[in-house]
């Protein structure tokens, strides 16, 4: 459960299938565990409603403050790795773009699972949101990159997600 909650904190929210993949549980066990943690107030959820033209949306779980505090107090995961608690605003949580976000999380989970099988690799950081940081006198997107040495607006890329992997076997 702690691994699943850690990934929920890292990616802000997970579907039942995503939680099952990161915890290596079968889907029904993962679903039951998520439901139980939700009843305890450790998780909230959104979705699982009908959208005209899209069918029923998946049920998506997120950590509540109580769940985050439990993760902090009951695991030995360093605070700097966990980061700070991020409130999920359920009123504005579902939009058609959410399907894209969930697919991006699927890709990052696939990366995490693949790296776990390769002890010489470690993930240093993942980026999933358009956070802004101050660089000099400018505020830029954290994941901004350029396709040329000349940093001009027409050379700028802002990816949907990014990651940094370190290979411990190379120097």
């Amino acid at each position: 459960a702690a691994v699943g909650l850690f990934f929920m904190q890292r990616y802000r929210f997970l579907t039942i299938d995503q939680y099952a993949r990161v915890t290596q549980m079968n889907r029904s066990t993962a679903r039951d565990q998520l439901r139980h943690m939700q009843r305890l107030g450790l998780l909230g959820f959104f979705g699982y409603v009908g959208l005209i033209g899209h069918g029923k949306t998946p049920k998506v779980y997120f950590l509540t403050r109580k769940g985050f505090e439990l993760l902090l107090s009951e695991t030995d995961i360093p605070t700097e790795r966990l980061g700070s608690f991020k409130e999920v605003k359920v009123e504005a949580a579902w939009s058609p773009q959410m399907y894209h976000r969930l697919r991006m999380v699927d890709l990052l989970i696939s990366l995490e699972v693949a790296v776990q099988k390769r002890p010489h690799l470690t993930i240093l950081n993942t980026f999933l949101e358009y956070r802004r940081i101050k660089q000099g006198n400018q505020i830029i997107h954290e994941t901004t990159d350029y396709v040329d040495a000349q940093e001009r607006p027409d050379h700028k890329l802002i990816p949907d997600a990014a990651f940094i992997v370190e290979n411990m076997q190379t120097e």
Side-chain angles (χ1 to χ4, degrees), residues 37-170:
M37 287 189 287
Q38 185 226 333
R39 279 189 231 115
L40 294 174
L42 304 174
L43 303 176
F45 76 91
F46 62 89
Y48 208 59
V49 296
L51 282 182
I52 297 171
H54 292 281
K56 201 165 209 173
T57 64
K59 194 171 193 179
V60 181
Y61 288 90
F62 60 89
L63 271 179
T64 62
R65 181 164 299 279
K66 182 178 177 182
F68 178 76
E69 296 297 330
L70 179 78
L71 190 59
L72 270 177
S73 65
E74 297 298 322
T75 66
D76 57 357
I77 301 170
T79 308
E80 59 274 0
R81 185 157 175 163
L82 272 180
S84 59
F85 175 71
K86 299 172 192 134
E87 191 79 37
V88 174
K89 307 253 187 285
V90 277
E91 309 82 48
W94 202 269
S95 68
Q97 293 81 15
M98 186 60 68
Y99 291 105
H100 179 74
R101 161 96 183 207
L102 291 174
R103 297 299 73 83
M104 295 307 300
V105 171
D106 283 339
L107 291 171
L108 290 170
I109 288 171
S110 294
L111 168 72
E112 301 261 9
V113 170
V115 167
Q116 285 174 359
K117 295 175 183 173
R118 293 163 177 84
H120 64 285
L121 297 177
T122 185
I123 298 173
L124 299 179
N125 206 347
T126 58
F127 304 93
L128 185 60
E129 297 174 337
Y130 296 117
R131 293 182 293 214
R132 295 172 185 237
I133 57 172
K134 189 169 186 172
Q135 189 177 58
N137 293 332
Q138 293 182 322
I139 304 246
I140 62 164
H141 291 285
E142 186 175 31
T143 55
T144 298
D145 200 3
Y146 293 89
V147 295
D148 194 349
Q150 199 175 26
E151 294 184 3
R152 300 185 343 214
D154 57 332
H155 293 166
K156 187 189 309 187
L157 290 174
I158 303 172
D160 291 339
F163 58 89
I164 301 170
V165 175
E166 181 179 30
N167 185 342
M168 307 300 261
Q169 292 180 350
T170 61

Side-chain angles (χ1 to χ4, degrees), residues 4-62:
L5 295 179
F6 169 74
F7 279 97
M8 203 168 287
Q9 167 64 13
R10 178 179 278 198
Y11 297 121
R12 294 194 57 164
F13 41 79
L14 297 175
T15 64
I16 296 167
D17 291 329
Q18 291 168 337
Y19 183 85
R21 284 179 57 209
V22 298
T23 59
Q24 298 178 357
M25 294 179 183
N26 68 46
R27 188 180 194 288
S28 62
T29 304
R31 181 196 62 222
D32 293 345
Q33 191 173 80
L34 287 167
R35 231 187 264 154
H36 178 69
M37 287 189 287
Q38 185 226 333
R39 279 189 231 115
L40 294 174
L42 304 174
L43 303 176
F45 76 91
F46 62 89
Y48 208 59
V49 296
L51 282 182
I52 297 171
H54 292 281
K56 201 165 209 173
T57 64
K59 194 171 193 179
V60 181
Y61 288 90
F62 60 89

